[in-house]
Every structure is written in C-alpha cells, then in structure tokens.
Amino acid sequence: MKNVATFIVIALFCTIGYAQNGPKIEFAAPDNTIDYGKISKGDNGVRSFEFTNTGDAPLLITGAESTVSSIVVTKPAAAILPGKKGKIDVKYNMVSGPIRKTITVETNAVNYPDGRVALKIKGEVL
C-alpha cells in the first residue's frame, strides 16, 4: 500500500511539471526547417514558417532575426490567440551556392527554453 501511495505522489508531481500553462508554439515544418531544394536565382526566395499557438494564453513573437544580412524576416505584429495560426515569412537573397542559415525567434512560449526557437533554411541556389 505504501508503494502505491508513493507511486501516485510521484505521478502527480510529474503530471504537474508537464502541464505547463501559457502560450505554446508548434511549427508545421518538420524539425523547424524549410528545405528550398535546388532553386534558380529567378526564385523570389520567400518562404513561410507556419505555426499554431497550442497553449492557453496569447502568443507573442517579440523578435525574429538572422545573423546574416542575406535574410529578411517578417513576424506577426499582433498576439496569436490560443488555437490560432500565424506565420513568419523569410526572404532569402538568392546568391548562388548552398543555403544553410538559422533564424532565431524570440517568443513568450513556455514549451521552448527562454521562449527561443531556432528555425532553419537549407537548399542550394543554382
């Protein structure tokens, strides 16, 4: 009986730890990565990272930027309500060669450490 009670207490604490309240961001792209594939310089270079707020509070995208100037990032200005979708647009400057870049998104999401999410683009411009 004592083992059963101990198990119930442990299970309760584990459940509480995983049941975080607040906004949560889930991206549609596998591994938070968009693959441009092999594309020509004539491509406009615009792709969108679509996401859903799966939490129970408004999701704020407070920042979205790349460390390189060849990428322009556009984030939503308004909060994304629970259950609603949003998108972050990325425009890559079509320079010949491989594409391997990371965009850092800062949010108030509770399902990522400090609300920071790394998005990646990859591919090759011919």
Side-chain angles (χ1 to χ4, degrees):
M1 188 66 163
K2 187 175 182 180
N3 288 339
V4 173
T6 303
F7 176 75
I8 291 172
V9 169
I10 291 172
L12 180 64
F13 281 113
C14 289
T15 303
I16 291 170
Y18 285 110
Q20 297 173 322
N21 290 328
K24 295 179 184 174
I25 189 167
E26 298 292 334
F27 285 91
D31 299 324
N32 297 349
T33 302
I34 289 181
D35 188 349
Y36 279 69
K38 294 185 182 217
I39 54 175
S40 71
K41 284 183 142 185
D43 188 296
N44 68 4
V46 176
R47 302 293 186 274
S48 295
F49 283 94
E50 296 179 356
F51 62 87
T52 303
N53 178 359
T54 59
D56 59 5
L59 173 70
L60 299 172
I61 308 293
T62 56
E65 58 187 40
S66 173
T67 57
V68 294
S69 62
S70 59
I71 298 175
V72 177
V73 182
T74 306
K75 67 176 184 65
I80 307 301
L81 297 176
K84 299 296 181 183
K85 297 179 183 262
K87 68 179 183 168
I88 296 171
D89 293 325
V90 175
K91 181 174 181 1
Y92 181 72
N93 185 3
M94 304 307 280
V95 178
S96 295
I99 304 171
R100 299 276 184 273
K101 306 295 181 200
T102 302
I103 297 100
T104 302
V105 178
E106 295 180 3
T107 72
N108 65 336
V110 296
N111 59 327
Y112 281 91
D114 298 324
R116 289 183 176 214
V117 184
L119 304 178
K120 297 177 183 170
I121 60 172
K122 65 181 185 176
E124 183 178 1
V125 180
L126 305 173

